[in-house]
Amino acid sequence: MASSQCCSNPPTLSPTCGEGCVVDALGGLKAYVAGSPDSKLAIILISDVYGFEAPNLRKLADKVAASGYFVVVPDFIHGDPFSLDNAERPFPIWIQSHTTDKGFEEAKPIIAALKGKGISAVGAAGFCWGAKVVVELAKAAEIQAAVLLHPSFVTVDDFKEVKCPIAVLGAESDHLSPPELVKQFEQALSAKSAVDYFVKIFPGVAHGWAVRYKIDDASAVKSAEEAHLDMLGWFKKHIK
């Protein structure tokens, strides 16, 4: 179901990191939130298997918030991030408690809560595990724009059902969504004239590069920031 790349370079989690704050119940889930609650535009960032306490992910949420959005990073993992050190719960066991189908169902009340607060448009970006949740939201027309970064568990058939503008940012070295598969995603999207799309494969990077980079690696930071700018550009184009 997932290669070792899915779980490589685990972040050092920090429940207090970020310039925003953690709320206990947004649509039923704990979430990190950043940006003005008065904004009419919201972005949901859906984490990889390491959850919503990853410092790089929260730093990205703060960056997105600085562009004028209300940003939500829900705890879809329910305080139970995957741990490489837990030999009793290898990935195939852990994932049984944290399916992407469950994430999709839990995302819908969050979107409803945002709309109830006066939000007029919602975009979502997903990383690895989170990308599958986002593509399901795009298929269900729950969001107005989607971005998938180094996606896992996503299939060509998923893109045949997408109902909103979608961007796919892939890595040159990715066993979960290799460039050949990403090109098949693009072919499926090209057959849907009604859906705007953007597909890009980043050279010299591996699965997870957009959020699981080392902050002291200048090249890795540059590649991650390029992906973040592409993501922000897509939301600027379609969430307004």
Side-chain angles (χ1 to χ4, degrees):
M1 177 176 260
S3 77
S4 60
Q5 275 191 329
C6 183
C7 309
S8 63
N9 300 322
T12 300
L13 302 179
S14 172
T16 59
C17 65
E19 298 173 10
C21 64
V22 174
V23 296
D24 284 331
L26 179 58
L29 286 185
K30 182 182 284 190
Y32 176 81
V33 298
S36 171
D38 296 324
S39 175
K40 299 301 182 185
L41 309 175
I43 303 297
I44 302 172
L45 301 183
I46 305 184
S47 76
D48 59 18
V49 298
Y50 292 110
F52 85 136
E53 294 180 353
N56 286 351
L57 181 61
R58 290 195 178 181
K59 187 187 299 183
L60 177 57
D62 295 340
K63 183 190 296 186
V64 176
S67 293
Y69 302 100
F70 181 65
V71 184
V72 180
V73 189
D75 181 19
F76 288 113
I77 306 300
H78 295 272
D80 182 35
F82 177 70
S83 173
L84 283 170
D85 297 328
N86 189 344
E88 295 181 2
R89 289 183 82 202
F91 190 81
I93 300 298
W94 180 89
I95 195 71
Q96 290 176 20
S97 301
H98 302 289
T99 65
T100 52
D101 286 345
K102 183 181 175 188
F104 167 59
E105 292 300 329
E106 291 180 338
K108 289 189 278 188
I110 294 171
I111 294 169
L114 290 171
K115 294 287 180 70
K117 293 176 183 293
I119 295 289
S120 60
V122 179
F127 308 82
C128 187
W129 180 95
K132 176 63 172 176
V133 178
V134 170
V135 84
E136 292 298 331
L137 292 171
K139 288 158 61 176
E142 289 279 348
I143 53 178
Q144 282 65 61
V147 181
L148 314 184
L149 301 97
H150 40 85
S152 299
F153 315 121
V154 177
T155 68
V156 173
D157 284 344
D158 284 328
F159 290 96
K160 296 176 182 177
E161 300 178 45
V162 163
K163 296 180 175 65
C164 73
I166 187 165
V168 184
L169 307 182
E172 181 181 25
S173 175
D174 194 331
H175 299 149
L176 294 138
S177 292
E180 310 83 65
L181 181 59
V182 173
K183 287 173 184 173
Q184 291 178 38
F185 296 164
E186 184 173 23
Q187 290 169 355
L189 288 167
S190 69
K192 294 175 67 72
S193 58
V195 174
D196 193 16
Y197 67 92
F198 174 73
V199 177
K200 181 174 175 180
I201 296 169
F202 285 67
V205 299
H207 180 86
W209 94 95
V211 282
R212 297 211 295 265
Y213 57 90
K214 303 298 184 187
I215 60 173
D216 57 355
D217 182 335
S219 177
V221 170
K222 182 179 179 182
S223 292
E225 289 181 344
E226 183 181 340
H228 302 163
L229 286 173
D230 287 341
M231 180 189 77
L232 279 168
W234 193 249
F235 288 142
K236 183 177 180 181
K237 182 178 180 182
H238 293 290
I239 302 297
K240 52 193 175 185

